[in-house]
Amino acid sequence: MISHFLKKPCKKLLDFILPPQCINCHTPVFQQGGLCAGCWEKIAFISKPFCLFCGFPFNIQIENENICGPCARKTPLFTRARAAIYYNEASKPMILRFKHSDALHIAPLFAEWLYQAGDELFQQAEYLAPIPLHWSRLVYRGYNQAALLSRKLSKKAKIPHLPDLLERTHRTPPQGDLTAKEREKNVSNVLKLNKKYNQLIRDKHILLIDDVFTSGATVRACTKILKKSGAKQVDILTLARVIKPEI
Ligand SMILES: [Zn+2]
Ligand SMILES: [Zn+2]
């Protein structure tokens, strides 16, 4: 009751001390934690039609054609990958700030976008887990941005969260000019399942969360480990996706 009466004055006081600003460009806005109209306009959300497996967006809808070339040639181990937005000139600076410069105030908005993009995945998932960060990077940054997002999503979707399901044993060597196949090998050599979940994940449906889907090498390596260890299904949900037009 008291909190109800205090809520409005507190919000007004907060708006007075810290006038709401766009979380990306600091233009004044009406509400805390949002984007200004100019920034909203530039964010490109991924929507259907897209590949049923990997979520690759199609420019045009081709009748009965809803699987992309690479997935048609080789069905991915994960069941579905979905992403909320395109990784482009507009979203890149926001995501990099979130990753590297403690711009944690962006997390609630990102989590909301992920929640909407992953709607069908949350309906089936039994556990959520982030793509892991090596502990030395964790010490340096102080947080794993994927774990931060998956924790928020776990609360929203009311699905248990296993932040330490997968572990990185070493730092991943530089990925540089490697091909997707070489990247996958590079990554799978440094990832492992946390032994304490050996039994728990058997026959379970796992939803992996990450910030950016680039070549897909990391999520494929994580999926392989989970499936080998007995997981029934692995889905992938990322905030952004790099779309290379040549695919
Ligand atoms: Zn803005
Ligand atoms: Zn595909």
Side-chain angles (χ1 to χ4, degrees), residues 51 53-56 67-68 71:
C51 171
F53 292 129
C54 74
F56 181 84
I67 294 169
C68 75
C71 290

Side-chain angles (χ1 to χ4, degrees), residues 49-65:
F50 48 61
C51 171
L52 283 180
F53 292 129
C54 74
F56 181 84
F58 300 129
N59 289 332
I60 44 161
Q61 176 89 60
I62 306 164
E63 218 174 319
N64 300 327
E65 187 65 68

Side-chain angles (χ1 to χ4, degrees), residues 119-204:
D119 184 35
E120 34 170 12
L121 311 186
F122 289 115
Q123 287 172 25
Q124 289 185 315
E126 289 168 282
Y127 292 104
L128 302 190
I131 298 293
L133 199 66
H134 186 250
W135 66 267
S136 61
R137 285 207 176 111
L138 200 63
V139 168
Y140 177 69
R141 283 193 207 161
Y143 66 97
N144 170 1
Q145 71 286 351
L148 197 82
L149 293 173
S150 58
R151 187 175 311 117
K152 284 194 181 297
L153 289 167
S154 150
K155 277 191 190 150
K156 270 178 181 287
K158 299 186 175 59
I159 298 170
H161 181 220
L162 307 174
D164 54 349
L165 176 65
L166 292 159
E167 297 172 321
R168 258 183 224 262
T169 52
H170 304 88
R171 291 181 73 133
T172 316
Q175 302 273 52
D177 299 322
L178 301 180
T179 63
K181 193 103 198 124
E182 288 165 336
R183 277 171 184 244
E184 197 174 324
K185 202 168 168 231
N186 214 358
V187 178
S188 55
N189 288 339
V190 300
L191 285 166
K192 68 179 180 68
L193 176 76
N194 186 333
K195 272 191 201 141
K196 67 178 177 184
Y197 296 119
N198 266 345
Q199 288 305 315
L200 187 76
I201 65 155
R202 277 190 195 282
D203 284 323
K204 291 293 188 303

Side-chain angles (χ1 to χ4, degrees), residues 22-27 29 34-40:
C22 167
I23 54 171
N24 190 38
C25 71
H26 305 298
T27 301
V29 289
L35 289 176
C36 72
C39 287
W40 261 114

Side-chain angles (χ1 to χ4, degrees), residues 225-240:
I225 292 170
L226 293 173
K227 296 277 275 206
K228 260 191 187 167
S229 312
K232 183 173 68 185
Q233 184 171 327
V234 179
D235 286 329
I236 315 290
L237 179 61
T238 59
L239 173 66

